[in-house]
Amino acid sequence: MGGCHLCFLFLCLSSAMVVVSGSSSMNNNLPIITFEDGYTPLFGDNNLIIHNDGKLVHLTLDQRTGSGFVSHELYLHGYFSAKIKLPADYTAGVVVAFYMSNGDLFKKNHDEIDFEFLGNIRGRDWRMQTNFYGNGSTNTGREERYDLWFDPSQDFHQYSILWTDSKIIFYVDNVPIREVKRTESMGGDFPSKPMTLYATIWDASDWATDGGKYRVNYKYAPYVAEFSNFVMHGCGVDPIDENVAKCNNAQNSKANIIPKHKIKMENFRNNHMTYSYCYDRARYQVPPPECVISLEEAEALRKLDPTTFGDGRRHRGGGKQRHHQSKGRKAEDASF
């Protein structure tokens, strides 16, 4: 799919953004593409296998290597989605990531928007983490962690990123779980440069499970993450071309979550969020300026994770980017 075609598609999306951004039918209104149309293998050789004429991809981690793929193009704003099924059984130390980054182009001031799935020992659930960086602001980690209302290793579930010039919204199965609004106080910490889309599986034994206490056990390998239903609905750009300005002009910043889905998001956060950097007193004496403190969220987190409120423990996360630079070249009815 060429950049011009994607720009045209994004113009169509922009005109309807206010209506569909909070709608559970968002993904149903957007075209699903094949792997070959949007992506290319990144690393892992035979550990990346394409099935069903490009409609399904398996990424494998074994003792030899992990694997990953990357989009053909860079994008400035849009809606990006995939259905993912995670490995089962013992998965401690394993990380599966679906994210956007421009770290290869901007070594010292990269942007990033992340979904990360952190494996666990047998009998404990996967955890999911979201994060973002802008302009190389990696010293200010903006992680949130969650448990889920389903077992992500038993079936496919949809994970989506909506990115505009004024906000980022993360979705799980079309339920908004996190909304990041750009504020003047954030300055360049909000992602604003074109990014590429990635998916990876890799060994993060040093930090992913209880700060490295539990590591990958290759007795349970191979670990296979499955990806399908690819949606890449954004403005494809050449970062040195004038297309960037065109994308900025085309995108609609009025992406709003409709009221009933705002309630779903609040319910998710109060029932399933287990960590937020905004409440981490051990890490930040004063919350970063974009944080909007919620008494409900604070009370829920205090019960789930009292250490967040200042016992001196440092929250660990964000290791995927280190891997990306060195690879060799997360069930009950949630009542939402």
Side-chain angles (χ1 to χ4, degrees):
M1 297 178 70
C4 292
H5 181 50
L6 284 165
C7 283
F8 171 75
L9 289 175
F10 191 71
L11 280 167
C12 295
L13 175 62
S14 296
S15 64
M17 188 78 79
V18 175
V19 176
V20 303
S21 63
S23 170
S24 61
S25 62
M26 176 191 289
N27 188 54
N28 295 332
N29 296 329
L30 302 178
I32 295 173
I33 64 173
T34 65
F35 176 84
E36 291 84 355
D37 282 339
Y39 292 100
T40 190
L42 178 63
F43 74 104
D45 300 325
N46 294 332
N47 280 11
L48 185 155
I49 302 177
I50 302 170
H51 298 275
N52 298 347
D53 297 324
K55 297 176 182 177
L56 175 68
V57 175
H58 285 183
L59 292 183
T60 297
L61 168 67
D62 56 26
Q63 199 156 10
R64 182 179 62 89
T65 183
S67 52
F69 55 82
V70 59
S71 62
H72 296 311
E73 299 191 61
L74 288 147
Y75 299 91
L76 185 63
H77 308 134
Y79 177 84
F80 309 94
S81 181
K83 287 192 173 182
I84 305 172
K85 183 180 179 182
L86 300 176
D89 204 0
Y90 183 101
T91 54
V94 177
V95 170
V96 176
F98 179 63
Y99 66 106
M100 304 187 74
S101 178
N102 48 33
D104 287 344
L105 284 175
F106 302 96
K107 302 291 186 180
K108 297 181 179 180
N109 63 333
H110 84 283
D111 305 287
E112 194 168 317
I113 304 174
D114 304 332
F115 270 110
E116 291 180 306
F117 305 92
L118 313 180
N120 221 326
I121 61 175
R122 178 179 287 163
R124 294 186 184 177
D125 296 332
W126 280 86
R127 292 140 309 138
M128 184 180 71
Q129 177 167 291
T130 61
N131 201 1
F132 71 95
Y133 301 111
N135 201 33
S137 57
T138 56
N139 289 330
T140 305
R142 293 179 166 89
E143 302 98 333
E144 289 187 355
R145 281 190 182 181
Y146 326 87
D147 58 28
L148 293 165
W149 65 96
F150 52 81
D151 182 345
S153 69
Q154 293 302 302
D155 203 353
F156 285 89
H157 293 271
Q158 183 182 3
Y159 305 91
S160 311
I161 297 168
L162 176 64
W163 173 39
T164 78
D165 68 349
S166 64
K167 65 181 62 178
I168 301 164
I169 305 175
F170 296 89
Y171 296 85
V172 177
D173 287 341
N174 293 306
V175 174
I177 64 163
R178 181 180 185 182
E179 180 182 32
V180 178
K181 295 182 179 180
R182 185 176 193 168
T183 64
E184 185 176 348
S185 61
M186 293 178 70
D189 287 3
F190 187 91
S192 58
K193 299 186 292 294
M195 291 188 282
T196 309
L197 203 64
Y198 295 88
T200 57
I201 185 171
W202 60 288
D203 184 333
S205 291
D206 290 344
W207 66 271
T209 308
D210 288 359
K213 179 180 179 180
Y214 301 104
R215 306 179 66 84
V216 174
N217 186 338
Y218 286 101
K219 178 178 72 173
Y220 298 97
Y223 299 98
V224 180
E226 303 178 57
F227 290 76
S228 69
N229 288 60
F230 303 107
V231 175
M232 300 172 66
H233 205 75
C235 194
V237 302
D238 181 336
I240 62 174
D241 197 350
E242 294 179 356
N243 276 341
V244 173
K246 294 178 182 178
C247 288
N248 280 328
N249 291 334
Q251 89 83 33
N252 187 330
S253 62
K254 296 180 180 179
N256 295 316
I257 300 174
I258 61 177
K260 69 176 181 179
H261 285 197
K262 181 76 75 171
I263 294 172
K264 290 184 177 183
M265 182 171 70
E266 291 172 355
N267 287 341
F268 173 86
R269 296 176 66 79
N270 290 335
N271 292 312
H272 294 279
M273 185 167 66
T274 60
Y275 173 87
S276 170
Y277 74 104
C278 286
Y279 303 94
D280 193 334
R281 296 180 183 175
R283 194 175 187 184
Y284 302 114
Q285 291 185 349
V286 177
E290 74 278 1
C291 288
V292 177
I293 300 302
S294 161
L295 295 179
E296 291 80 8
E297 287 184 0
E299 183 60 27
L301 289 176
R302 189 184 298 274
K303 294 177 180 178
L304 287 171
D305 184 13
T307 56
T308 294
F309 290 84
D311 73 346
R313 182 190 64 134
R314 305 288 295 184
H315 178 71
R316 297 293 301 275
K320 170 191 52 52
Q321 182 60 27
R322 292 193 295 274
H323 164 74
H324 178 61
Q325 293 173 339
S326 64
K327 63 179 177 294
R329 351 165 164 88
K330 233 206 148 260
E332 73 280 12
D333 183 351
S335 300
F336 293 142

